[in-house]
Amino acid sequence: MKPLNSPLEIGVRALVLLSESHPDALDLAQLALLDHAVLHSGEFDGPPSLHPDLPARSGELGLKRAVLEQALLVLIRAGLAELKADGTGLVYRATERGPAFVDILEAPYVLRLRERAEWAVHEWIQNIDVRATTRSLLMTPPAPATTSSFEVDHG
């Protein structure tokens, strides 16, 4: 099993995002972009990034969708999320069990993830066009990797 960006890892991140937006729902495009934003929040004038800046990070956004769909199916099967149709299309929502499950996760990474999810859901995504931002990120050529913009948080 690949540990990074596996359905399990992305599923935890998706559940944190869905729990933060609960009871509001998010569509797949919103979830994919929010996941990218919480990992690379420093690039979007948010908290320090959780993951380091990599040259091909825009490519990870394009590949994330398929794994994210697998991850969401795992959450649905576990009763932590649900898929609904609304006026905009198919959307995902945390069930009542979703936020309760997130609340018992105590790993430092999850605590930092929750901080960034709060920022991304309640501040960042409110001011953007999801599809235009995704398109822009996918069209941006890879930047050289830097270590200076990555803040290592061991807390």
Side-chain angles (χ1 to χ4, degrees):
M1 179 173 150
K2 80 177 189 177
L4 295 175
N5 288 317
S6 67
L8 178 60
E9 180 188 358
I10 291 178
V12 169
R13 295 194 313 249
L15 183 58
V16 168
L17 289 164
L18 290 171
S19 295
E20 188 59 45
S21 71
H22 188 265
D24 295 329
L26 298 168
D27 67 24
L28 190 60
Q30 290 170 314
L31 277 167
L33 187 58
L34 281 165
D35 185 62
H36 185 79
V38 298
L39 296 179
H40 305 290
S41 51
E43 294 178 31
F44 303 104
D45 297 324
S49 297
L50 281 177
H51 290 191
D53 293 338
L54 300 173
R57 65 188 167 277
S58 62
E60 86 182 42
L61 181 60
L63 299 172
K64 186 175 302 203
R65 235 180 129 101
V67 180
L68 178 58
E69 288 178 306
Q70 294 171 8
L72 289 164
L73 286 174
V74 170
L75 295 176
I76 291 167
R77 286 187 198 123
L80 300 171
E82 59 188 1
L83 175 64
K84 298 284 184 186
D86 72 4
T88 64
L90 296 176
V91 293
Y92 297 88
R93 177 179 294 118
T95 63
E96 295 300 322
R97 292 174 54 194
F101 182 83
V102 170
D103 284 343
I104 65 171
L105 301 175
E106 296 179 356
Y109 178 86
V110 175
L111 298 176
R112 292 190 307 271
L113 177 62
R114 290 179 73 175
E115 292 169 356
R116 283 145 184 88
E118 180 180 359
W119 162 80
V121 169
H122 298 293
E123 294 177 40
W124 183 72
I125 204 162
Q126 302 301 321
N127 303 315
I128 64 160
D129 177 326
V130 172
R131 277 139 189 91
T133 302
T134 300
R135 201 170 26 257
S136 172
L137 287 169
L138 291 172
M139 303 299 262
T140 303
T146 62
T147 55
S148 61
S149 65
F150 175 64
E151 180 178 306
V152 177
D153 184 358
H154 297 288

